[in-house]
Amino acid sequence: GTLGAIVFDRISKMPMMLSCQHLMKENESVFQPKRDVFDWENYNLCGETSRSYLGKIGDAAVAKIMNREFTTDILELNISPKHTAEAQLGDLVVKSGASSGVTFGIVSRVGVIADLHYRAINSQKISCFEITSNTRKQSRTMPLCLDGDSGSLWMLDGSDVAVGLHF
């Protein structure tokens, strides 16, 4: 999965890691990078999930940051999300995913209900929007997303406005 952004708790103002609930379960430790490196538990612990939601309006989780320095800039986009908006049909969007890197899209459908089947969870219906590749900014053969991109934050292209999490 992908750490989508560093966000700040509205009440405490504490920095938090934002990603998907199907990646970060509440009250569980968060490790970055993934667990396939030697002694990952001692060296890669970076936080603990404090809140999560998986349901009709999304798939999201936030984790307290522990033992790490951080930047609010999204990797490879070099921009920090400052605002949010609802995705609109035709919006030009961009994300930085752990597997696919930076990809560009166009919001092609809104008000979609996706029926998702996560490994450890029964079917879950989630309201979302769909994105197709923006072939003016990337090759038609370049994938828009790959396994491991869940948690990426879709941003309005060229702005600091976030429109949704990739799941």
Side-chain angles (χ1 to χ4, degrees):
T2 300
L3 189 162
I6 301 298
V7 296
F8 294 87
D9 184 276
R10 285 186 182 172
I11 296 168
S12 72
K13 308 298 183 211
M14 296 278 298
M16 310 284 277
M17 295 178 280
L18 172 67
S19 193
C20 288
Q21 188 275 346
H22 77 268
L23 301 171
M24 299 189 327
K25 306 291 186 272
E26 203 158 325
N27 298 317
E28 286 187 358
S29 296
V30 177
F31 299 90
Q32 187 74 16
K34 60 186 177 177
R35 299 180 179 193
D36 61 356
V37 295
F38 177 74
D39 203 11
W40 61 268
E41 193 163 330
N42 289 323
Y43 293 103
N44 297 341
L45 176 66
C46 63
E48 183 175 293
T49 306
S50 57
R51 290 190 307 278
S52 65
Y53 176 83
L54 177 63
K56 186 177 179 182
I57 59 169
D59 175 354
V62 290
K64 298 173 190 169
I65 300 172
M66 300 166 40
N67 309 320
R68 293 286 175 110
E69 292 182 13
F70 63 88
T71 177
T72 57
D73 282 0
I74 296 173
L75 184 67
E76 297 183 302
L77 296 184
N78 302 319
I79 191 157
S80 299
K82 302 259 189 302
H83 308 282
T84 60
E86 285 191 34
Q88 302 296 315
L89 195 62
D91 279 349
L92 302 179
V93 293
V94 60
K95 70 156 180 57
S96 177
S99 298
S100 65
V102 175
T103 56
F104 298 88
I106 301 171
V107 176
S108 56
R109 290 177 58 198
V110 294
V112 176
I113 303 296
D115 192 7
L116 299 175
H117 301 273
Y118 295 125
R119 284 184 210 135
I121 303 167
N122 291 332
S123 174
Q124 183 66 55
K125 293 187 185 316
I126 301 175
S127 177
C128 61
F129 54 92
E130 287 184 0
I131 298 168
T132 57
S133 290
N134 182 347
T135 56
R136 291 185 178 184
K137 294 201 83 166
Q138 70 184 39
S139 164
R140 291 184 189 278
T141 59
M142 182 178 177
L144 185 61
C145 58
L146 295 169
D147 287 347
D149 285 350
S150 289
S152 301
L153 190 61
W154 284 103
M155 303 285 294
L156 291 179
D157 193 7
S159 81
D160 61 0
V161 178
V163 293
L165 277 176
H166 182 82
F167 54 87

